[in-house]
Amino acid sequence: MGCSGTACAVTETIPSDTATLDSLAPRTQAEILSVNWSVLAPDEAKRLRALGLDVGTQVAVAHRGVFFGRDPIALVIGRTTVAVRRTHAKAVLVKPL
Amino acid sequence: MTRFRTAALVGNPNAGKTALFNALTGARQKIANYPGVTVERKAGRMIMPDGQPIELIDLPGSYSLDAASPDEEVTRQVVQGEFPGEARPELLVIVLDAANLEQHLVFAQEIIALGVPTVVALNMVDLAERDGLTLDPAALSDALGVPVVPTIAVRKKGLDALAESMESASQQDLSTRHEVACLSMPEQRLAARNIAKAAILSESRERKLHANLDKVLLHPWLGPIILFALLFIVFQAVFAWADPLIGAIEGLAEGASALVTSSMGESFVRDFLTEGVIAGVGSVVVFLPQIIILFAFILVMEQSGYMARAAFIMDRLMAYVGLSGRSFIPLLSSFACAIPGIMATRSIADPKDRLTTILIAPLMTCSARLPVYTVIIAAVIPSNAVGPGIGLQGLVLFGLYIAGIIGAMLVALVLRRTATKGAASGFIMEMPKYQLPPLRDVLIGLWQRAWVFLRRAGTIIFAATVILWLLLTFPKAEPGESQLDASAAGHIASFMQPAFEPIGFQREMTLALVPAMAAREVAVASLATTYAVDSDDEAETENALRDQISARWSLPTALAFLAWFVFAPQCLSTIAVARRETNGWKWPMVMVGYLFALAYAFAGLTYWAAVGLGL
């Protein structure tokens, strides 16, 4: 089709009421402000976007992983639950609602 | 009126596509690979309302036409008519999860924009209702510009309406299609959200069952305990429940053997049939019950939605050795047999992850090693109790399983830093909704795995067994000479013996390694023959063999032999399937090489450590 998703630049200034997704408290709704796609492998970025993780989406952390590091993290995006690693979640800047 | 001959199911993963495919085609399915790639092509015959059959294919689940994995690339090429040798489907059936419209409509819009006759199956409407969603299919149809039929594939509801809609799809006016081409991803998503909003009549945000189950099953401490308890039950079942069935298959093989023996005169052909074909293929088919039981558990875990949770729990542990939770499922299957395990690696998107998983799969203790372990442990390890309810023999067996797992983890660690070096693998996985797995889909899945296994037994294993039997039978022994000494296999063993002497192997043991190339458990039969135990009954053979081993083998020798089999690479069918899945000989050779090196080193170490300790 020749359509490709638009890549987003990371905002330079980080407002104080924002957090990276990996540090978001469980069961807090938040809106995605920006995603640093360059941290992710191209296929992983595609997959996350296809699963609905993109700028403007509302997310919440449902579960944190087991064992040490509390990795991976289960995110609720709309009506789906998606598991991601903390390194992915770190690349996502959110604003708690 | 022109009518369709081909149609394809297309949709996101977890939309219930396979269940719909099973419901529409029944068991009339053909599974093969798309040429040049290890992606499964599932095709079946669907009978249309006018009584005419069409070919229905089940395309791999995709999130977008912008492919992120080999599976998705196949889907993209097929629906765009670019796959070489595969005709473009004349009709596309988009399968949507009714409870997940917002997300699934993104891909659906891309498909509709292709301008091919299209019908939407609004699937799993029952689960959407359970989630508190009431949908308006007519509104959805208006918004998308294509017919929408509500279905519940697992209960075979809405299938007739879907078939009728498919039949009349040839009259679709393609010129009225909405333009959605070349929207950016956020725009597509916004459009999807708006369409979903318009189709949802009422919605409550309650998803109690789903959330409550996850609270328990993904609990940081309870979750792993439940998973390990479940795995314990699975292994108990694999070994306990399979016993009577294994006995039945052995009885069948003996019966067939006896029938051939009694109905034919003594001849080369008769020996070939009884000793070669029936004994050889029978010794492999015996593992069918264990494989079916293990797969029944795996399929139920997969289709109920639990497997994704198990992968979630295991991800952190797998990350330590450079793998991800996705490798957990193939490795679990490898405890029954590495062949289905290696085939299950297809679900791993990252090629290096997948390769690493293929390479370590043979280290999981497969059921073929069990006969070898049991006979030798019974022969040389005293049946003392080391604690309440814990016997020394059981402990050694458990230790051998653990040795395989630790070995696999260490090998993965090394591979990820050398041969399969690359960026740390990620773990991105959708957690499907929980649901009761439909018995019918579990049974179809079981039948397919069993068939793959049996076909293998009938081809590769059959051929290997025949060759080995010939090597063991010719040239014929002179009177007074043992057949094994005289045979070609015997000569090969004598030739190999100098290499195995230093790690404590006796010549009979080296000899046993040759036929064990076909299937590991043949080592037991080979030892039995070598020690000239003349018995057809396997239980008797094992008892007698046990006495022979405890009389002839020192403890260090026996331990070295056990250690060898922890790594033992000798299984031709595993090597063959690894070749097919990696498209070449390079990686199977790496696998065989490292397994042999480890088996040799580990057996030697065990032998000399045991001798040094004065055992």
Side-chain angles (χ1 to χ4, degrees):
Chain A
M1 300 187 82
C3 305
S4 63
T6 43
C8 282
V10 196
T11 41
E12 297 275 315
T13 50
I14 297 172
S16 57
D17 62 336
T18 59
T20 50
L21 186 50
D22 67 307
S23 60
L24 188 67
R27 277 170 270 282
T28 310
Q29 283 291 323
E31 190 185 314
I32 297 180
L33 294 179
S34 70
V35 182
N36 184 5
W37 294 114
S38 61
V39 173
L40 304 164
D43 281 353
E44 290 177 348
K46 261 187 213 171
R47 171 75 12 101
L48 282 179
R49 251 199 225 120
L51 284 164
L53 190 137
D54 208 338
V55 175
T57 321
Q58 280 195 24
V59 290
V61 173
H63 300 277
R64 286 169 160 278
V66 286
F67 307 116
F68 315 100
R70 317 263 7 230
D71 205 10
I73 298 174
L75 302 174
V76 175
I77 305 172
R79 286 186 170 266
T80 43
T81 309
V82 179
V84 299
R85 288 251 177 99
R86 277 185 67 169
T87 44
H88 303 139
K90 257 203 187 96
V92 179
L93 197 67
V94 295
K95 187 176 129 201
L97 295 174
Chain B
M1 181 180 118
T2 52
R3 57 179 308 282
F4 297 112
R5 290 207 171 72
T6 59
L9 295 184
V10 54
N12 285 50
N14 302 319
K17 229 159 38 64
T18 302
L20 187 62
F21 180 70
N22 285 344
L24 290 173
T25 62
R28 298 178 295 266
Q29 301 180 7
K30 246 173 69 184
I31 297 171
N33 269 4
Y34 285 98
V37 283
T38 48
V39 176
E40 243 171 34
R41 182 187 189 276
K42 280 173 92 174
R45 254 158 53 99
M46 175 183 170
I47 308 294
M48 298 301 279
D50 65 2
Q52 297 296 312
I54 62 161
E55 188 192 45
L56 186 68
I57 61 173
D58 183 15
L59 288 170
S62 300
Y63 290 101
S64 158
L65 285 178
D66 187 13
S69 73
D71 288 38
E72 293 190 346
E73 184 58 23
V74 166
T75 300
R76 183 193 71 75
Q77 289 184 5
V78 172
V79 296
Q80 297 191 337
E82 289 170 14
F83 200 94
E86 178 84 31
R88 187 179 191 178
E90 295 164 276
L91 169 70
L92 295 174
V93 179
I94 300 175
V95 188
L96 290 180
D97 174 2
N100 224 336
L101 283 182
E102 231 175 78
Q103 202 198 76
H104 287 195
L105 280 173
V106 177
F107 183 43
Q109 288 180 92
E110 289 186 340
I111 295 293
I112 292 169
L114 292 173
V116 177
T118 305
V119 173
V120 168
L122 187 61
N123 198 25
M124 307 204 275
V125 282
D126 55 333
L127 293 182
E129 270 165 35
R130 193 187 75 185
D131 278 2
L133 272 179
T134 316
L135 297 167
D136 182 358
L140 188 60
S141 174
D142 284 346
L144 293 174
V146 297
V148 173
V149 183
T151 54
I152 308 172
V154 297
R155 290 204 220 125
K156 298 189 137 198
K157 284 198 180 143
L159 300 185
D160 292 342
L162 181 64
E164 271 160 31
S165 183
M166 286 167 72
E167 201 168 60
S168 54
S170 58
Q171 286 136 20
Q172 272 181 20
D173 183 2
L174 299 174
S175 63
T176 61
R177 280 290 165 80
H178 302 268
E179 263 306 313
V180 269
C182 277
L183 288 177
S184 71
M185 200 44 142
E187 287 171 303
Q188 277 183 40
R189 187 158 309 117
L190 187 68
R193 208 171 297 158
N194 288 335
I195 297 172
K197 220 173 261 170
I200 294 172
L201 291 176
S202 70
E203 166 177 35
S204 65
R205 288 208 70 86
E206 265 185 89
R207 292 194 300 154
K208 269 200 178 132
L209 176 72
H210 182 81
N212 284 345
L213 270 173
D214 266 351
K215 242 179 234 164
V216 177
L217 296 175
L218 292 182
H219 187 276
W221 300 112
L222 274 180
I225 293 173
I226 293 170
L227 175 60
F228 289 121
L230 190 65
L231 292 181
F232 181 77
I233 293 171
V234 171
F235 282 104
Q236 281 294 310
V238 164
F239 294 118
W241 300 357
D243 256 0
L245 295 166
I246 290 174
I249 293 178
E250 280 171 353
L252 219 64
E254 274 164 34
S257 192
L259 189 74
V260 172
T261 312
S262 61
S263 59
M264 291 173 72
E266 193 173 333
S267 68
F268 170 74
V269 179
R270 191 188 78 175
D271 287 353
F272 170 75
L273 283 177
T274 54
E275 292 170 17
V277 179
I278 296 174
V281 174
S283 72
V284 178
V285 174
V286 149
F287 294 104
L288 190 61
Q290 290 185 334
I291 287 176
I292 286 182
I293 292 170
L294 185 65
F295 271 117
F297 277 103
I298 287 175
L299 284 169
V300 168
M301 281 163 82
E302 260 173 4
Q303 295 184 5
S304 63
Y306 182 72
M307 202 52 116
R309 274 78 184 177
F312 182 89
I313 291 169
M314 294 304 288
D315 180 63
R316 183 64 205 172
L317 287 181
M318 307 295 277
Y320 283 122
V321 297
L323 293 173
S324 84
R326 282 195 185 267
S327 298
F328 172 69
I329 302 165
L331 292 178
L332 182 63
S333 311
S334 300
F335 278 103
C337 176
I339 294 163
I342 287 173
M343 291 195 294
T345 61
R346 288 172 182 187
S347 65
I348 304 172
D350 183 295
K352 289 190 165 151
D353 258 27
R354 175 161 185 256
L355 182 58
T356 313
T357 311
I358 290 175
L359 291 175
I360 64 169
L363 284 175
M364 299 293 123
T365 304
C366 68
S367 49
R369 283 164 168 109
L370 203 61
V372 183
Y373 286 172
T374 357
V375 168
I376 292 162
I377 287 176
V380 295
I381 308 289
S383 59
N384 299 338
V386 289
I390 306 168
L392 185 60
Q393 292 183 337
L395 206 62
V396 171
L397 184 65
F398 184 68
L400 291 168
Y401 271 86
I402 297 296
I405 295 170
I406 292 174
M409 295 299 118
L410 292 178
V411 170
L413 204 62
V414 173
L415 283 174
R416 288 298 270 155
R417 275 162 184 69
T418 55
T420 58
K421 199 171 172 169
S425 49
F427 176 64
I428 299 170
M429 196 172 191
E430 190 183 334
M431 305 272 128
K433 281 187 291 294
Y434 289 106
Q435 59 175 327
L436 268 180
L439 181 66
R440 172 196 172 80
D441 291 333
V442 173
L443 289 180
I444 289 178
L446 272 184
W447 162 246
Q448 286 166 352
R449 316 256 157 141
W451 177 241
V452 166
F453 177 77
L454 283 176
R455 202 173 49 194
R456 204 165 296 282
T459 52
I460 297 171
I461 296 175
F462 172 76
T465 318
V466 168
I467 292 167
L468 282 162
W469 179 78
L470 289 171
L471 286 176
L472 283 162
T473 313
F474 296 102
K476 284 280 178 210
E478 302 292 322
E481 188 188 19
S482 107
Q483 173 56 36
L484 277 146
D485 279 341
S487 70
H491 288 294
I492 295 170
S494 305
F495 174 74
M496 285 163 54
Q497 182 54 20
F500 288 92
E501 196 99 54
I503 58 167
F505 282 23
Q506 298 167 4
R507 203 180 74 100
E508 295 85 350
M509 294 159 69
T510 310
L511 183 58
L513 298 183
V514 180
M517 285 295 294
R520 294 177 179 92
E521 66 279 15
V522 181
V524 175
S526 168
L527 283 170
T529 324
T530 321
Y531 290 129
V533 178
D534 192 0
S535 165
D536 290 322
D537 185 69
E538 195 170 285
E540 204 178 292
T541 308
E542 280 187 13
N543 284 336
L545 178 61
R546 191 166 67 200
D547 296 339
Q548 292 281 353
I549 290 174
S550 43
R552 290 169 192 246
W553 294 18
S554 67
L555 187 57
T557 292
L559 290 177
F561 198 66
L562 287 176
W564 173 272
F565 271 91
V566 169
F567 298 98
Q570 57 267 60
C571 169
L572 290 177
S573 16
T574 302
I575 299 166
V577 80
R579 195 209 74 84
R580 206 185 65 194
E581 297 292 315
T582 59
N583 280 323
W585 279 112
K586 182 183 164 198
W587 293 110
M589 287 300 116
V590 169
M591 183 170 95
V592 172
Y594 98 75
L595 286 170
F596 259 118
L598 278 182
Y600 192 84
F602 197 51
L605 257 156
T606 309
Y607 179 71
W608 288 107
V611 169
L613 287 168
L615 292 173

